[in-house]
Amino acid sequence: MKYIWILLIGTLLCAETIDCTQVFETRKGELLREVEKIDEARQSFEALQGATNALFEKQKTALKEKENSIAKTKQEIEEKEKQIAAMLAENKRLLDLVEAKKSEKIDETYIKMKDAAAAAIIEKLPIHEGAAIMFGLPAKKISQVMAKMNPQVASDITQRLKKGPPFVDDNKTKE
């Protein structure tokens, strides 16, 4: 009987071992499927990460190109601004030269004129223009021309000459 008991207990133990092996095999299959799913998910993640990195690099390259283009355009604009500034300076210099030459010509003309004729013309000009012309004449010529002028006009021009250049119109014109 002892033998039967041992056989019975051995059979039960074997049956339980077989059941454990089946459970382990079933669980092993489930775990392998889970590992495959995790592996697929990992591969998908790596593919997505690779695509994201490639897109990032592409955008980074495009940004660098745009930055270079902007820098080039900025440099061109700065060069054009320098050229324009140089042209403006040259134009101002030429304008000043023309103005000086024009003023010099007018001064020479009035210096060569007879005093009475110069006085008659200057009296008819607005005060600021008359003062500007008189300012360019030598002192002796100014006194000779003013002596031939209407005393009121000579007085107004004298006041304007005392203020000094620039002789600009202050919205008072000779009537």
Side-chain angles (χ1 to χ4, degrees):
M1 191 72 170
K2 213 177 187 190
Y3 182 69
I4 293 180
W5 278 104
I6 291 179
L7 189 57
L8 187 57
I9 291 177
T11 307
L12 284 174
L13 286 176
C14 242
E16 284 183 23
T17 306
I18 291 173
D19 287 341
C20 286
T21 305
Q22 286 177 340
V23 169
F24 287 139
E25 287 297 320
T26 305
R27 187 69 181 138
K28 181 180 174 184
E30 290 175 6
L31 289 174
L32 287 175
R33 284 191 295 275
E34 287 296 320
V35 167
E36 286 176 8
K37 286 181 185 178
I38 291 171
D39 191 45
E40 288 175 8
R42 184 185 53 79
Q43 288 176 356
S44 295
F45 174 74
E46 288 174 355
L48 178 63
Q49 187 179 24
T52 303
N53 287 342
L55 181 61
F56 176 73
E57 289 299 321
K58 183 178 178 182
Q59 288 175 341
K60 190 176 174 182
T61 303
L63 180 63
K64 282 279 191 200
E65 288 174 3
K66 285 182 181 180
E67 286 175 347
N68 291 339
S69 173
I70 289 171
K72 183 180 177 183
T73 303
K74 182 180 177 186
Q75 184 179 8
E76 289 172 359
I77 289 171
E78 288 172 352
E79 288 174 5
K80 286 182 181 182
E81 284 177 344
K82 287 178 184 177
Q83 289 174 349
I84 290 170
M87 289 171 63
L88 284 174
E90 179 65 15
N91 286 347
K92 184 176 181 345
R93 186 187 68 78
L94 290 174
L95 181 63
D96 290 344
L97 186 64
V98 167
E99 287 292 324
K101 200 68 162 163
K102 180 177 75 170
S103 179
E104 186 180 304
K105 278 282 203 193
I106 290 173
D107 291 346
E108 286 178 21
T109 303
Y110 277 92
I111 289 171
K112 291 178 183 178
M113 288 177 92
K114 294 188 181 211
D115 301 338
I121 294 171
I122 293 174
E123 281 181 341
K124 293 184 180 184
L125 293 173
I127 299 299
H128 71 280
E129 289 179 17
I133 290 172
M134 295 292 268
F135 185 75
L137 301 178
K140 182 176 181 182
K141 185 67 174 182
I142 292 173
S143 65
Q144 292 170 349
V145 171
M146 281 193 175
K148 305 283 183 181
M149 284 184 162
N150 176 327
Q152 182 59 44
V153 174
S155 172
D156 291 342
I157 289 176
T158 301
Q159 288 175 353
R160 191 60 70 95
L161 284 170
K162 281 176 67 177
K163 290 180 182 177
F167 302 102
V168 293
D169 187 11
D170 58 356
N171 294 329
K172 292 181 182 175
T173 57
K174 186 172 178 147
E175 296 180 31

